[in-house]
Amino acid sequence: MEQRTYNQYCATARTLDLVGERWTLLLVRELLTGPKRFGDLQASLRGLGTGLLSARLKHLEREGLAHKTTLPPPARTPVYALTEAGEELAPAILELARWGLKWAMGERHPGETFHPGWTVLGLRACFDPEAAAGLRAVYEFRIGDEVFHARIDDGTIEALHGPAQHPDAVITIAEDAFVELTAGGGTFAAAIESGTATATGDTEALRRLRGLFSLPPARSRTAV
């Protein structure tokens, strides 16, 4: 398949030549949270057919944004992972996510899929480094059947899939309740106070949770 191009000697156009095709940036989004098997990508990107997924992955490999590798023992599973160039797309994708939370989200539309695992990247997008100054804590989040955790270290965050070995606090919320929380611009702390979510663990870590993750107020794109 011939790659389409804007034929412009411009950094923005050249970047869009690489990642502007449908599904490509969403594949990068998935790989930003760690290496994934082909089946993992299929499960997270419902609506993306097997043939097109293969084509997009080959494109990312060809352009030096992703590569095939094998997880270390005992897994020894073939996976796709981002290259250094692919990883450096993270700030742009996080800014797109922040813009979307402010200007594009709103209520969930009928037929729209939701995958709790997308929240791993969402935690990074909503993280407030200033609120995390001096804090060192590990938070485990359980949304529906998904489990992931965030390691906070004095204003920095590392968010990963899977349970934490020794979490300081564990937050549990149903998938539907979390979707409503996101649509309404709420916070984990508010959900805990209202009883929509439950939390256990270190009192200070739970107290500091209030300011760590915040959604920007939703705005209308309609001109006033």
Side-chain angles (χ1 to χ4, degrees):
M1 182 184 297
E2 184 178 353
Q3 180 177 329
R4 293 187 288 185
T5 175
Y6 287 102
N7 283 317
Q8 294 182 10
Y9 188 59
C10 159
T12 303
R14 285 282 185 91
T15 302
L16 289 174
D17 283 346
L18 297 176
V19 298
E21 291 280 4
R22 183 173 169 81
W23 294 106
T24 304
L25 272 183
L26 293 185
L27 271 173
V28 175
R29 178 198 68 186
E30 294 301 309
L31 296 175
L32 279 173
T33 57
K36 301 286 190 305
R37 297 172 300 178
F38 189 93
D40 296 330
L41 295 170
Q42 268 193 314
S44 294
L45 298 171
R46 298 171 192 170
L48 175 56
T50 302
L52 187 54
L53 174 57
S54 296
R56 290 291 182 264
L57 287 169
K58 287 177 182 177
H59 168 77
L60 290 175
E61 287 184 272
R62 185 171 61 250
E63 297 298 343
L65 299 175
H67 64 104
K68 288 181 183 176
T69 185
T70 302
L71 292 178
R76 293 192 179 89
T77 304
V79 292
Y80 291 88
L82 293 175
T83 62
E84 180 183 2
E87 290 283 356
E88 288 196 6
L89 286 166
I93 291 178
L94 289 173
E95 283 303 318
L96 280 173
R98 294 183 185 105
W99 185 92
L101 287 167
K102 182 177 181 179
W103 294 103
M105 284 291 283
E107 296 294 327
R108 185 177 181 180
H109 297 161
E112 282 188 325
T113 60
F114 171 73
H115 195 285
W118 296 337
T119 311
V120 176
L121 201 62
L123 290 176
R124 291 168 60 182
C126 298
F127 178 64
D128 184 348
E130 292 184 4
L135 175 65
R136 289 177 174 81
V138 178
Y139 296 87
E140 182 173 289
F141 298 89
R142 300 173 182 176
I143 300 179
D145 296 330
E146 287 275 353
V147 180
F148 47 90
H149 65 279
R151 185 177 302 277
I152 311 299
D153 187 1
D154 191 20
T156 65
I157 181 172
E158 180 184 30
L160 299 168
H161 288 281
Q165 287 189 342
H166 303 289
D168 295 290
V170 177
I171 296 90
T172 304
I173 185 170
E175 183 176 320
D176 289 345
F178 179 76
V179 171
E180 291 182 11
L181 178 74
T182 303
T187 64
F188 282 113
I192 293 167
E193 290 176 1
S194 69
T196 305
T198 60
T200 58
D202 180 74
T203 303
E204 178 62 12
L206 291 171
R207 186 187 71 80
R208 294 290 298 271
L209 177 65
R210 172 172 293 278
L212 292 181
F213 307 101
S214 58
L215 295 169
R219 298 282 303 276
S220 172
R221 299 190 304 275
T222 304
V224 178

mmCIF file of all heavy atoms in Angstrom, residues 101-129:
data_model
loop_
_atom_site.group_PDB
_atom_site.id
_atom_site.type_symbol
_atom_site.label_atom_id
_atom_site.label_comp_id
_atom_site.label_asym_id
_atom_site.label_seq_id
_atom_site.Cartn_x
_atom_site.Cartn_y
_atom_site.Cartn_z
ATOM 1 N N LEU A 101 -9.881 16.119 27.182
ATOM 2 C CA LEU A 101 -10.630 16.146 28.432
ATOM 3 C C LEU A 101 -11.342 17.483 28.622
ATOM 4 O O LEU A 101 -12.435 17.546 29.177
ATOM 5 C CB LEU A 101 -9.682 15.892 29.612
ATOM 6 C CG LEU A 101 -9.180 14.455 29.758
ATOM 7 C CD1 LEU A 101 -8.033 14.390 30.744
ATOM 8 C CD2 LEU A 101 -10.316 13.526 30.209
ATOM 9 N N LYS A 102 -10.718 18.536 28.135
ATOM 10 C CA LYS A 102 -11.286 19.882 28.295
ATOM 11 C C LYS A 102 -12.313 20.206 27.221
ATOM 12 O O LYS A 102 -13.362 20.793 27.497
ATOM 13 C CB LYS A 102 -10.152 20.903 28.270
ATOM 14 C CG LYS A 102 -10.579 22.347 28.474
ATOM 15 C CD LYS A 102 -9.359 23.254 28.508
ATOM 16 C CE LYS A 102 -9.743 24.705 28.742
ATOM 17 N NZ LYS A 102 -8.540 25.588 28.799
ATOM 18 N N TRP A 103 -12.029 19.820 25.961
ATOM 19 C CA TRP A 103 -12.811 20.309 24.838
ATOM 20 C C TRP A 103 -13.608 19.243 24.084
ATOM 21 O O TRP A 103 -14.408 19.594 23.215
ATOM 22 C CB TRP A 103 -11.887 21.003 23.826
ATOM 23 C CG TRP A 103 -11.249 22.251 24.346
ATOM 24 C CD1 TRP A 103 -9.958 22.394 24.777
ATOM 25 C CD2 TRP A 103 -11.851 23.547 24.470
ATOM 26 N NE1 TRP A 103 -9.722 23.685 25.170
ATOM 27 C CE2 TRP A 103 -10.864 24.416 24.988
ATOM 28 C CE3 TRP A 103 -13.128 24.049 24.193
ATOM 29 C CZ2 TRP A 103 -11.114 25.767 25.239
ATOM 30 C CZ3 TRP A 103 -13.383 25.383 24.445
ATOM 31 C CH2 TRP A 103 -12.387 26.227 24.959
ATOM 32 N N ALA A 104 -13.380 17.955 24.372
ATOM 33 C CA ALA A 104 -13.978 16.939 23.494
ATOM 34 C C ALA A 104 -14.729 15.813 24.188
ATOM 35 O O ALA A 104 -15.460 15.083 23.526
ATOM 36 C CB ALA A 104 -12.886 16.326 22.607
ATOM 37 N N MET A 105 -14.580 15.654 25.492
ATOM 38 C CA MET A 105 -15.157 14.460 26.130
ATOM 39 C C MET A 105 -16.662 14.570 26.354
ATOM 40 O O MET A 105 -17.450 14.105 25.555
ATOM 41 C CB MET A 105 -14.428 14.171 27.444
ATOM 42 C CG MET A 105 -13.068 13.539 27.234
ATOM 43 S SD MET A 105 -13.143 11.850 26.596
ATOM 44 C CE MET A 105 -13.576 10.943 28.053
ATOM 45 N N GLY A 106 -17.070 15.171 27.440
ATOM 46 C CA GLY A 106 -18.493 15.242 27.740
ATOM 47 C C GLY A 106 -19.078 13.866 28.012
ATOM 48 O O GLY A 106 -18.392 12.956 28.470
ATOM 49 N N GLU A 107 -20.355 13.703 27.701
ATOM 50 C CA GLU A 107 -21.038 12.439 27.968
ATOM 51 C C GLU A 107 -20.593 11.356 26.987
ATOM 52 O O GLU A 107 -20.203 11.644 25.856
ATOM 53 C CB GLU A 107 -22.558 12.638 27.854
ATOM 54 C CG GLU A 107 -23.132 13.589 28.889
ATOM 55 C CD GLU A 107 -23.016 13.050 30.299
ATOM 56 O OE1 GLU A 107 -23.092 11.817 30.457
ATOM 57 O OE2 GLU A 107 -22.851 13.860 31.235
ATOM 58 N N ARG A 108 -20.673 10.124 27.435
ATOM 59 C CA ARG A 108 -20.345 8.977 26.588
ATOM 60 C C ARG A 108 -21.443 8.768 25.553
ATOM 61 O O ARG A 108 -22.635 8.760 25.890
ATOM 62 C CB ARG A 108 -20.196 7.735 27.453
ATOM 63 C CG ARG A 108 -19.743 6.486 26.697
ATOM 64 C CD ARG A 108 -19.577 5.352 27.698
ATOM 65 N NE ARG A 108 -19.127 4.123 27.080
ATOM 66 C CZ ARG A 108 -18.903 2.989 27.763
ATOM 67 N NH1 ARG A 108 -19.097 2.968 29.073
ATOM 68 N NH2 ARG A 108 -18.496 1.906 27.132
ATOM 69 N N HIS A 109 -21.078 8.616 24.290
ATOM 70 C CA HIS A 109 -22.045 8.420 23.218
ATOM 71 C C HIS A 109 -22.468 6.950 23.139
ATOM 72 O O HIS A 109 -21.667 6.056 23.450
ATOM 73 C CB HIS A 109 -21.451 8.842 21.866
ATOM 74 C CG HIS A 109 -21.108 10.297 21.803
ATOM 75 N ND1 HIS A 109 -20.234 10.816 20.870
ATOM 76 C CD2 HIS A 109 -21.528 11.351 22.548
ATOM 77 C CE1 HIS A 109 -20.125 12.116 21.049
ATOM 78 N NE2 HIS A 109 -20.898 12.460 22.065
ATOM 79 N N PRO A 110 -23.686 6.671 22.702
ATOM 80 C CA PRO A 110 -24.128 5.281 22.518
ATOM 81 C C PRO A 110 -23.192 4.548 21.551
ATOM 82 O O PRO A 110 -22.821 5.077 20.511
ATOM 83 C CB PRO A 110 -25.534 5.428 21.912
ATOM 84 C CG PRO A 110 -26.006 6.773 22.355
ATOM 85 C CD PRO A 110 -24.776 7.641 22.392
ATOM 86 N N GLY A 111 -22.801 3.345 21.925
ATOM 87 C CA GLY A 111 -21.935 2.545 21.066
ATOM 88 C C GLY A 111 -20.456 2.775 21.273
ATOM 89 O O GLY A 111 -19.633 2.035 20.722
ATOM 90 N N GLU A 112 -20.076 3.800 22.051
ATOM 91 C CA GLU A 112 -18.653 4.047 22.292
ATOM 92 C C GLU A 112 -18.093 3.014 23.260
ATOM 93 O O GLU A 112 -18.680 2.750 24.309
ATOM 94 C CB GLU A 112 -18.428 5.448 22.876
ATOM 95 C CG GLU A 112 -18.483 6.565 21.857
ATOM 96 C CD GLU A 112 -18.067 7.890 22.444
ATOM 97 O OE1 GLU A 112 -18.367 8.142 23.628
ATOM 98 O OE2 GLU A 112 -17.448 8.688 21.727
ATOM 99 N N THR A 113 -16.959 2.439 22.906
ATOM 100 C CA THR A 113 -16.313 1.476 23.788
ATOM 101 C C THR A 113 -15.469 2.213 24.823
ATOM 102 O O THR A 113 -15.055 3.352 24.622
ATOM 103 C CB THR A 113 -15.419 0.508 23.003
ATOM 104 O OG1 THR A 113 -14.394 1.247 22.319
ATOM 105 C CG2 THR A 113 -16.227 -0.280 21.993
ATOM 106 N N PHE A 114 -15.225 1.531 25.931
ATOM 107 C CA PHE A 114 -14.339 2.065 26.963
ATOM 108 C C PHE A 114 -13.516 0.917 27.502
ATOM 109 O O PHE A 114 -14.033 -0.172 27.756
ATOM 110 C CB PHE A 114 -15.134 2.715 28.096
ATOM 111 C CG PHE A 114 -14.270 3.083 29.281
ATOM 112 C CD1 PHE A 114 -13.406 4.159 29.215
ATOM 113 C CD2 PHE A 114 -14.311 2.316 30.443
ATOM 114 C CE1 PHE A 114 -12.593 4.475 30.290
ATOM 115 C CE2 PHE A 114 -13.501 2.630 31.524
ATOM 116 C CZ PHE A 114 -12.647 3.724 31.451
ATOM 117 N N HIS A 115 -12.227 1.163 27.669
ATOM 118 C CA HIS A 115 -11.324 0.156 28.212
ATOM 119 C C HIS A 115 -10.661 0.757 29.447
ATOM 120 O O HIS A 115 -9.957 1.760 29.342
ATOM 121 C CB HIS A 115 -10.269 -0.218 27.161
ATOM 122 C CG HIS A 115 -9.522 -1.472 27.485
ATOM 123 N ND1 HIS A 115 -8.539 -1.523 28.453
ATOM 124 C CD2 HIS A 115 -9.608 -2.733 26.991
ATOM 125 C CE1 HIS A 115 -8.049 -2.746 28.516
ATOM 126 N NE2 HIS A 115 -8.679 -3.503 27.653
ATOM 127 N N PRO A 116 -10.890 0.186 30.639
ATOM 128 C CA PRO A 116 -10.303 0.762 31.854
ATOM 129 C C PRO A 116 -8.787 0.926 31.787
ATOM 130 O O PRO A 116 -8.227 1.813 32.432
ATOM 131 C CB PRO A 116 -10.705 -0.237 32.943
ATOM 132 C CG PRO A 116 -11.937 -0.883 32.434
ATOM 133 C CD PRO A 116 -11.750 -0.975 30.945
ATOM 134 N N GLY A 117 -8.119 0.082 30.987
ATOM 135 C CA GLY A 117 -6.667 0.184 30.865
ATOM 136 C C GLY A 117 -6.200 1.502 30.291
ATOM 137 O O GLY A 117 -5.046 1.915 30.499
ATOM 138 N N TRP A 118 -7.080 2.204 29.564
ATOM 139 C CA TRP A 118 -6.696 3.514 29.018
ATOM 140 C C TRP A 118 -6.417 4.517 30.135
ATOM 141 O O TRP A 118 -5.760 5.528 29.921
ATOM 142 C CB TRP A 118 -7.804 4.039 28.105
ATOM 143 C CG TRP A 118 -8.036 3.204 26.895
ATOM 144 C CD1 TRP A 118 -7.144 2.343 26.306
ATOM 145 C CD2 TRP A 118 -9.237 3.102 26.119
ATOM 146 N NE1 TRP A 118 -7.716 1.724 25.220
ATOM 147 C CE2 TRP A 118 -8.994 2.168 25.076
ATOM 148 C CE3 TRP A 118 -10.483 3.701 26.203
ATOM 149 C CZ2 TRP A 118 -9.958 1.832 24.129
ATOM 150 C CZ3 TRP A 118 -11.453 3.372 25.267
ATOM 151 C CH2 TRP A 118 -11.192 2.450 24.239
ATOM 152 N N THR A 119 -6.920 4.228 31.331
ATOM 153 C CA THR A 119 -6.724 5.138 32.450
ATOM 154 C C THR A 119 -5.260 5.224 32.858
ATOM 155 O O THR A 119 -4.842 6.210 33.475
ATOM 156 C CB THR A 119 -7.577 4.681 33.651
ATOM 157 O OG1 THR A 119 -8.917 4.438 33.215
ATOM 158 C CG2 THR A 119 -7.602 5.721 34.743
ATOM 159 N N VAL A 120 -4.463 4.211 32.532
ATOM 160 C CA VAL A 120 -3.039 4.247 32.878
ATOM 161 C C VAL A 120 -2.393 5.497 32.278
ATOM 162 O O VAL A 120 -1.681 6.236 32.958
ATOM 163 C CB VAL A 120 -2.321 2.969 32.395
ATOM 164 C CG1 VAL A 120 -0.827 3.050 32.675
ATOM 165 C CG2 VAL A 120 -2.921 1.748 33.071
ATOM 166 N N LEU A 121 -2.658 5.742 30.999
ATOM 167 C CA LEU A 121 -2.124 6.947 30.368
ATOM 168 C C LEU A 121 -2.871 8.178 30.875
ATOM 169 O O LEU A 121 -2.293 9.258 31.006
ATOM 170 C CB LEU A 121 -2.248 6.841 28.851
ATOM 171 C CG LEU A 121 -1.321 7.741 28.028
ATOM 172 C CD1 LEU A 121 0.136 7.411 28.290
ATOM 173 C CD2 LEU A 121 -1.629 7.619 26.543
ATOM 174 N N GLY A 122 -4.169 8.005 31.165
ATOM 175 C CA GLY A 122 -4.956 9.113 31.681
ATOM 176 C C GLY A 122 -4.421 9.641 33.001
ATOM 177 O O GLY A 122 -4.463 10.854 33.260
ATOM 178 N N LEU A 123 -3.897 8.761 33.849
ATOM 179 C CA LEU A 123 -3.307 9.207 35.107
ATOM 180 C C LEU A 123 -2.148 10.161 34.858
ATOM 181 O O LEU A 123 -1.990 11.164 35.559
ATOM 182 C CB LEU A 123 -2.824 8.001 35.921
ATOM 183 C CG LEU A 123 -3.884 7.086 36.526
ATOM 184 C CD1 LEU A 123 -3.219 5.907 37.217
ATOM 185 C CD2 LEU A 123 -4.769 7.843 37.509
ATOM 186 N N ARG A 124 -1.356 9.852 33.856
ATOM 187 C CA ARG A 124 -0.231 10.737 33.521
ATOM 188 C C ARG A 124 -0.722 12.068 32.981
ATOM 189 O O ARG A 124 -0.154 13.123 33.271
ATOM 190 C CB ARG A 124 0.684 10.045 32.506
ATOM 191 C CG ARG A 124 1.439 8.850 33.077
ATOM 192 C CD ARG A 124 2.108 8.024 32.003
ATOM 193 N NE ARG A 124 3.074 8.778 31.227
ATOM 194 C CZ ARG A 124 3.764 8.276 30.201
ATOM 195 N NH1 ARG A 124 3.559 7.012 29.850
ATOM 196 N NH2 ARG A 124 4.631 9.012 29.543
ATOM 197 N N ALA A 125 -1.812 12.022 32.206
ATOM 198 C CA ALA A 125 -2.338 13.249 31.615
ATOM 199 C C ALA A 125 -2.948 14.171 32.669
ATOM 200 O O ALA A 125 -2.916 15.394 32.522
ATOM 201 C CB ALA A 125 -3.377 12.919 30.549
ATOM 202 N N CYS A 126 -3.511 13.598 33.724
ATOM 203 C CA CYS A 126 -4.203 14.387 34.751
ATOM 204 C C CYS A 126 -3.344 14.653 35.988
ATOM 205 O O CYS A 126 -3.815 15.268 36.947
ATOM 206 C CB CYS A 126 -5.474 13.671 35.191
ATOM 207 S SG CYS A 126 -6.675 13.440 33.874
ATOM 208 N N PHE A 127 -2.121 14.193 35.974
ATOM 209 C CA PHE A 127 -1.243 14.297 37.141
ATOM 210 C C PHE A 127 -0.780 15.734 37.366
ATOM 211 O O PHE A 127 -0.429 16.446 36.427
ATOM 212 C CB PHE A 127 -0.034 13.381 36.939
ATOM 213 C CG PHE A 127 0.972 13.419 38.043
ATOM 214 C CD1 PHE A 127 0.635 12.996 39.318
ATOM 215 C CD2 PHE A 127 2.267 13.870 37.813
ATOM 216 C CE1 PHE A 127 1.571 13.020 40.345
ATOM 217 C CE2 PHE A 127 3.210 13.893 38.819
ATOM 218 C CZ PHE A 127 2.858 13.467 40.091
ATOM 219 N N ASP A 128 -0.798 16.171 38.632
ATOM 220 C CA ASP A 128 -0.329 17.511 39.005
ATOM 221 C C ASP A 128 0.984 17.376 39.768
ATOM 222 O O ASP A 128 0.991 17.028 40.955
ATOM 223 C CB ASP A 128 -1.377 18.200 39.877
ATOM 224 C CG ASP A 128 -0.994 19.644 40.220
ATOM 225 O OD1 ASP A 128 0.165 20.031 39.974
ATOM 226 O OD2 ASP A 128 -1.856 20.368 40.728
ATOM 227 N N PRO A 129 2.126 17.657 39.124
ATOM 228 C CA PRO A 129 3.425 17.490 39.790
ATOM 229 C C PRO A 129 3.575 18.343 41.042
ATOM 230 O O PRO A 129 4.191 17.904 42.026
ATOM 231 C CB PRO A 129 4.433 17.909 38.705
ATOM 232 C CG PRO A 129 3.705 17.768 37.423
ATOM 233 C CD PRO A 129 2.282 18.091 37.724
#
